[in-house]
Amino acid sequence: DLPSYARAEKPFGMAVLEVEGRPVATNVIFGEGDDLALLGVTALELASLAVDPEGRRLVPIASIQA
């Protein structure tokens, strides 16, 4: 485990994820086998979803179209 102030270099790239049935192209960081899997807020926002911590589920949000 790394202290919160430590730096670690990891390879990164692009991936298409399916989040709640929606394809989402996003940046990813490739970790080691014992690293935690984490779905970042960027991927959720690109899928127009947010976390409902009380209901423990994903909920739709209004998206901003560029």
Side-chain angles (χ1 to χ4, degrees), residues 1-8:
D1 291 336
L2 295 173
S4 61
Y5 55 84
R7 292 180 71 165

Side-chain angles (χ1 to χ4, degrees), residues 27-48:
N27 293 320
V28 294
I29 297 172
F30 301 102
E32 303 296 325
D34 60 345
D35 288 345
L36 293 174
L38 177 67
L39 180 60
V41 69
T42 303
L44 291 174
E45 288 175 345
L46 289 169
S48 299

